[in-house]
């Protein structure tokens, strides 16, 4: 259930070893890159709910460390969008993709490959929504 998922998630955040209470008194701050890599591993295992949570932690840290519109934030937002898409949640997926697209266009220009990838992800969400409305 939800309780088991939450306990597994807390264990993931603590590094996966032992109970969460066993953390040192002065915990070292985990950087955005580490949360991002953990999120990627979860996504590769199709654990999208845990992955999106880790990507959100990564995004918070990246914004603190690098600034709100850093290109790494855009990449993390794209991953968040992909996770939400895999979970069937179109609105949060679209929101994440749109913000990622804004940042990437600002940094890389309209013709960049990453811009095209995010644009394609947005198209996939819209296409899925259109198909559903035609069938329903």
């Amino acid at each position: 259930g939800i309780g088991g998922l939450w306990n597994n998630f807390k264990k993931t955040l603590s590094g996966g070893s032992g109970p969460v209470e066993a953390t040192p008194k002065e915990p070292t701050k985990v950087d955005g890159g580490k949360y991002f890599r953990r999120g990627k591993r979860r996504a590769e295992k199709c654990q999208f709910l845990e992955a999106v949570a880790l990507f959100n932690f990564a995004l918070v840290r990246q914004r603190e460390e690098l600034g709100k519109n850093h290109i790494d934030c855009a990449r993390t937002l794209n991953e968040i969008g992909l996770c939400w898409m895999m979970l069937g949640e179109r609105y949060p997926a679209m929101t994440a993709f749109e913000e990622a697209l804004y940042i990437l266009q600002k940094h890389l220009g309209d013709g960049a490959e990453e811009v095209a990838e995010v644009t394609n992800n947005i198209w996939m969400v819209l296409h899925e929504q259109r198909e559903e409305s035609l069938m329903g």
Side-chain angles (χ1 to χ4, degrees), residues 113-131:
E113 185 177 339
E114 281 185 86
V115 171
E117 287 174 20
V118 176
T119 303
N120 182 63
N121 291 340
I122 290 171
W123 182 85
M124 294 289 287
V125 172
L126 294 173
H127 178 71
E128 195 175 281
Q129 190 169 350
R130 182 174 177 268
E131 290 291 310

Side-chain angles (χ1 to χ4, degrees), residues 19-127:
V20 175
E21 293 76 29
T23 56
K25 300 285 183 223
E26 296 282 330
T28 56
K29 194 170 183 180
V30 178
D31 70 352
K34 191 165 190 171
Y35 279 128
F36 183 86
R37 290 186 295 277
R38 287 180 182 176
K40 284 291 269 186
R41 285 195 298 271
R42 293 292 180 204
E44 287 166 5
K45 294 177 183 176
C46 298
Q47 297 171 337
F48 298 112
L49 198 55
E50 289 181 9
V52 81
L54 288 163
F55 286 133
N56 276 309
F57 280 123
L59 185 61
V60 168
R61 289 286 197 264
Q62 288 167 336
R63 286 178 168 165
E64 288 172 358
E65 298 161 4
L66 307 169
K68 183 178 179 185
N69 290 328
H70 192 276
I71 197 161
D72 286 353
C73 295
R75 292 175 178 136
T76 302
L77 283 160
N78 187 55
E79 294 296 332
I80 289 170
L82 290 170
C83 287
W84 283 123
M85 201 164 79
M86 295 304 291
L87 291 165
E89 297 290 337
R90 288 191 206 108
Y91 182 77
M94 187 64 101
T95 303
F97 289 144
E98 287 175 344
E99 190 173 350
L101 182 63
Y102 168 79
I103 296 168
L104 290 170
Q105 284 177 323
K106 189 173 162 182
H107 284 280
L108 304 175
D110 290 334
E113 185 177 339
E114 281 185 86
V115 171
E117 287 174 20
V118 176
T119 303
N120 182 63
N121 291 340
I122 290 171
W123 182 85
M124 294 289 287
V125 172
L126 294 173
H127 178 71

